[in-house]
Amino acid sequence: MKKIVSLILLGMVIVACQNLNPIDPPEELEALDRLGTFIDTTFYADTAYFQLDKFINTENSTVLSVGSFQGFQASIFMRFTRMPIDSGATYDSVYVILYHRHAFPEGGNDLTLMVSELTEEWPDSVNSFPEFHNYQPGSAFYTFHLTNDDTGLVVIPIDVQVFNRWVEAGEDNFGLIIKAQYDDNGFIKEFHNFYSEDPENWPKLVYRTVLDTTIEHDTTNIGIASTVFDYDFENPQNIFEMARAKKELLLASGIASRVIVKFDALKSIPVNSLIYKADMQFELNDEDFFDPGFTNRLNNEEHAHSYYLRWITSISEDGSQILVDSSFANSSYYSYTLYKDDNIIHFFNEDDQVRFGKSYLQGYLNGTYDSVWFYLQFVNEYQDLAIRRIRTLEENGIRLRVYYYHVQNEGF
């Protein structure tokens, strides 16, 4: 089965190079040494670009993000679906509690956060809908400030009239939105979501129930919340345009950016070759976009350095539509994950290098596959905001190192 991906195309560059180096064969191929040559060769990508998907689904994320930094703004949509049903009760002392998870980058101006009641229905996959980006709610019923080093609980008092409307609507209430005032020099604050690993860290709704002479404090942590990541894509100084101008490649989560690469030089491997192993390598540029004196402040080290590599079965002439072989995702044998090692994203495990070389690359030589295009993305690109910069093709930033045995004896 294959799936079609149609995204925003940003930046395409074409270069080509190969580096051949005969070496001693691995032990298992020593018996073939007299029949040919064992080669360690590095191919450099000849075509590469990145594509954007602005409206990915963040509803299953374990992270809730809010804040503003370098053109990105994150807002939290939240509603609690288990409401009290005590007939004749009154409610007061209502609070929402959020649990700190992470904040980046270091420093930055204080965040001013505004909490407003939502008055219309929104889907769990709210980040997938353009109309909820840069959403402007009604006036805030609560405003508070956060500094980058705040790690304690955030306690948000909820207006009692707002809570009574939630109670009346039950699980169909619209909930609230937490939105930051725009500040290009702020930061991104991350809280635990309802899908976080430990239920003790889930958002909580605490309220006091008064029924006749009985007063009780109740808590619920059953709800739905998603982050909406907004970005000004029309600004010529945004990071995606800056990367395009530099012929640089970007991987992003939250606002998803995926890298597409082509290795035409694979066609130069003699068909009478035995692939031993192969390693796809993406070299990172760790400088900040706006101030090279800093490391990349959008890197977000809290986001795991793991990436899926997919094989592209076909691609349109302009590169805007691609067919990705879904067997890479559905079969453990064909599912490839790359990891960061020092400043390189690659197959960290040699067993994966062997599996990749002996399956896809050998299959290509044998005529089973006919494409030399690949697709790289974050494993959890819906999780939170994170940006990785990959060096340009002119810097040989994308490489494919292949170890193979070239059999000289025809008919072998």
Side-chain angles (χ1 to χ4, degrees):
M1 182 182 293
K2 301 168 183 175
K3 62 179 181 180
I4 295 179
V5 183
S6 179
L7 303 166
I8 299 173
L9 179 63
L10 284 178
M12 179 179 286
V13 225
I14 300 177
V15 201
C17 194
Q18 180 182 354
N19 186 1
L20 289 172
N21 181 28
I23 60 173
D24 292 333
E27 185 176 339
E28 57 265 47
L29 292 181
E30 284 181 353
L32 299 176
D33 194 32
R34 60 187 176 84
L35 300 175
T37 307
F38 193 74
I39 302 293
D40 169 6
T41 183
T42 299
F43 300 113
Y44 302 106
D46 53 274
T47 304
Y49 59 94
F50 62 90
Q51 293 179 317
L52 285 173
D53 188 349
K54 297 185 253 185
F55 308 121
I56 65 170
N57 187 354
T58 61
E59 68 176 286
N60 293 319
S61 172
T62 62
V63 179
L64 288 173
S65 301
V66 65
S68 180
F69 182 67
Q70 286 193 355
F72 291 93
Q73 189 172 42
S75 302
I76 296 172
F77 284 67
M78 176 184 295
R79 64 188 180 94
F80 290 86
T81 54
R82 181 173 291 176
M83 289 289 117
I85 55 174
D86 295 317
S87 177
T90 58
Y91 307 97
D92 58 19
S93 302
V94 186
Y95 300 92
V96 168
I97 301 175
L98 302 178
Y99 293 83
H100 167 83
R101 184 168 186 140
H102 180 55
F104 75 99
E106 294 182 356
N109 296 335
D110 293 359
L111 289 179
T112 299
L113 301 175
M114 298 160 290
V115 186
S116 303
E117 179 185 10
L118 286 165
T119 57
E120 62 180 296
E121 187 175 0
W122 52 275
D124 301 351
S125 55
V126 60
N127 194 50
S128 302
F129 291 79
E131 60 266 32
F132 289 103
H133 286 247
N134 196 26
Y135 184 80
Q136 301 301 319
S139 56
F141 62 77
Y142 183 65
T143 300
F144 64 106
H145 304 278
L146 283 180
T147 64
N148 190 283
D149 56 2
D150 286 331
T151 59
L153 303 178
V154 168
V155 179
I156 300 172
I158 303 299
D159 184 277
V160 173
Q161 290 183 341
V162 171
F163 183 67
N164 284 334
R165 285 193 283 271
W166 293 356
V167 172
E168 185 178 350
E171 66 177 14
D172 296 323
N173 73 86
F174 299 135
L176 56 84
I177 180 174
I178 306 172
K179 189 177 178 71
Q181 286 185 349
Y182 180 78
D183 187 342
D184 218 25
N185 296 310
F187 61 94
I188 303 296
K189 175 75 168 181
E190 295 179 348
F191 299 103
H192 289 270
N193 197 356
F194 294 105
Y195 301 98
S196 190
E197 301 85 353
D198 185 354
E200 287 299 316
N201 291 326
W202 292 2
K204 290 181 176 62
L205 176 63
V206 180
Y207 53 92
R208 191 174 75 158
T209 303
V210 181
L211 182 60
D212 296 329
T213 59
T214 303
I215 299 177
E216 296 180 353
H217 286 84
D218 294 300
T219 301
T220 179
N221 63 356
I222 307 301
I224 296 167
S226 295
T227 302
V228 171
F229 294 102
D230 190 52
Y231 194 69
D232 182 6
F233 289 92
E234 307 304 320
N235 185 344
Q237 295 303 312
N238 72 55
I239 62 170
F240 299 104
E241 289 299 322
M242 292 170 66
R244 184 182 183 185
K246 295 179 179 180
K247 301 180 181 180
E248 193 174 322
L249 302 169
L250 295 186
L251 281 171
S253 63
I255 292 173
S257 180
R258 297 100 180 222
V259 171
I260 315 299
V261 296
K262 180 185 180 187
F263 287 93
D264 244 342
L266 280 175
K267 299 173 184 176
S268 67
I269 299 179
V271 293
N272 53 332
S273 297
L274 298 175
I275 305 295
Y276 173 62
K277 65 179 180 179
D279 188 21
M280 187 80 77
Q281 301 175 349
F282 298 82
E283 185 174 349
L284 295 172
N285 174 8
D286 200 33
E287 289 185 338
D288 188 74
F289 288 93
F290 297 99
D291 191 343
F294 289 86
T295 57
N296 176 14
R297 288 176 287 186
L298 283 166
N299 184 44
N300 191 2
E301 288 287 354
E302 187 75 3
H303 190 110
H305 279 276
S306 53
Y307 313 85
Y308 284 137
L309 183 71
R310 304 283 189 246
W311 171 56
I312 294 174
T313 58
S314 66
I315 186 166
S316 62
E317 187 174 345
D318 65 356
S320 62
Q321 285 198 334
I322 63 175
L323 285 170
V324 178
D325 190 334
S326 60
S327 63
F328 273 56
N330 299 332
S331 167
S332 60
Y333 184 77
Y334 290 105
S335 179
Y336 296 104
T337 305
L338 280 64
Y339 300 93
K340 178 177 177 288
D341 179 25
D342 290 331
N343 216 35
I344 304 291
I345 296 171
H346 73 127
F347 287 115
F348 182 75
N349 189 317
E350 186 174 7
D351 289 342
D352 287 338
Q353 297 180 24
V354 172
R355 184 165 58 94
F356 178 60
K358 290 184 175 180
S359 59
Y360 172 71
L361 292 190
Q362 191 67 59
Y364 173 76
L365 288 186
N366 295 345
T368 305
Y369 310 123
D370 60 1
S371 171
V372 291
W373 290 86
F374 298 89
Y375 182 93
L376 186 72
Q377 68 180 87
F378 271 106
V379 168
N380 291 327
E381 63 182 12
Y382 62 85
Q383 178 80 327
D384 50 17
L385 178 64
I387 309 289
R388 310 279 193 254
R389 304 175 69 183
I390 297 174
R391 293 197 178 277
T392 65
L393 298 189
E394 285 83 353
E395 298 172 296
N396 293 327
I398 306 175
R399 305 181 289 271
L400 178 59
R401 189 174 184 181
V402 183
Y403 301 79
Y404 68 93
Y405 189 80
H406 180 206
V407 181
Q408 303 293 347
N409 191 341
E410 294 294 335
F412 173 78

